[in-house]
């Protein structure tokens, strides 16, 4: 079951400039920066009240973020939902006909197990499931 929106991911080309911009917007500094090797991205997290915003910058030209920006420009990249049991949720959604980009959950940023639903099967919205790792 989805419990809440865990964070919203925003693709950016220049993390330094974007941190400066979002810091002025939120009147807050990022609480975490983390490189996710498997995705070739650098992630930067802001906490805004109860909500989290993740900025994503590509580290290589073949990263999914680089390709996204090339096609669509900077902007909202994905919506992440918190789930209790990512394996159970992936099974449920596969049975409902949703297509996953990765067949098995993988390690994501901020101590999470993650999986992405292909936007082709969800009205053009890239959906991330994330489960807190214990
Ligand atoms: Zn994310």
């Amino acid at each position: 079951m989805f419990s809440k929106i865990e964070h919203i991911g925003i693709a950016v080309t220049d993390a330094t400039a974007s941190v400066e911009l979002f810091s002025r917007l939120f009147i807050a500094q990022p609480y975490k920066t983390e490189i996710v090797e498997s995705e070739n991205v650098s992630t930067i997290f802001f906490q805004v009240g109860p909500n989290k915003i993740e900025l994503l910058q590509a580290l290589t030209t073949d990263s999914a973020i680089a390709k996204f920006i090339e096609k669509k420009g900077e902007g909202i990249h994905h919506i992440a939902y918190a789930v209790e049991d990512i394996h159970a949720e992936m099974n449920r959604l596969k049975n409902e006909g949703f297509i996953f980009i990765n067949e098995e959950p993988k390690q994501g940023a901020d101590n999470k197990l993650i999986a992405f639903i292909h936007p082709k099967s969800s009205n053009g919205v890239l959906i991330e499931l994330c489960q807190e790792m214990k």
Side-chain angles (χ1 to χ4, degrees):
M1 216 166 62
F2 288 26
S3 58
K4 62 170 185 175
I5 290 179
E6 214 287 326
H7 62 268
I8 293 173
I10 299 174
V12 304
T13 51
D14 179 346
T16 306
S18 295
V19 165
E20 197 272 328
L21 185 150
F22 282 91
S23 296
R24 283 191 286 121
L25 182 68
F26 300 145
I27 318 178
Q29 294 299 313
Y31 69 89
K32 190 176 208 177
T33 298
E34 188 178 342
I35 286 175
V36 182
E37 302 277 359
S38 62
E39 301 286 324
N40 289 317
V41 292
S42 171
T43 63
I44 297 156
F45 287 90
F46 284 91
Q47 184 79 44
V48 186
N51 303 123
K52 276 160 60 176
I53 302 293
E54 174 187 36
L55 304 183
L56 302 126
Q57 182 187 18
L59 296 175
T60 59
T61 51
D62 63 347
S63 114
I65 294 300
K67 288 178 191 155
F68 175 88
I69 289 174
E70 201 180 290
K71 250 194 260 173
K72 298 187 171 173
E74 292 180 296
I76 293 181
H77 178 256
H78 64 270
I79 298 177
Y81 292 92
V83 298
E84 272 295 306
D85 179 343
I86 198 166
H87 292 95
E89 205 56 31
M90 285 178 81
N91 281 336
R92 180 183 77 82
L93 292 168
K94 282 177 189 173
N95 286 334
E96 294 284 354
F98 290 93
I99 316 274
F100 279 83
I101 292 174
N102 45 309
E103 283 303 305
E104 290 297 322
K106 58 185 177 181
Q107 168 116 40
D110 210 20
N111 200 39
K112 302 280 192 298
L113 271 180
I114 64 166
F116 285 98
I117 297 175
H118 199 290
K120 269 183 197 159
S121 67
S122 46
N123 276 181
V125 180
L126 178 60
I127 293 175
E128 176 183 356
L129 307 186
C130 43
Q131 177 194 322
E132 194 81 39
M133 289 199 293
K134 285 148 196 162

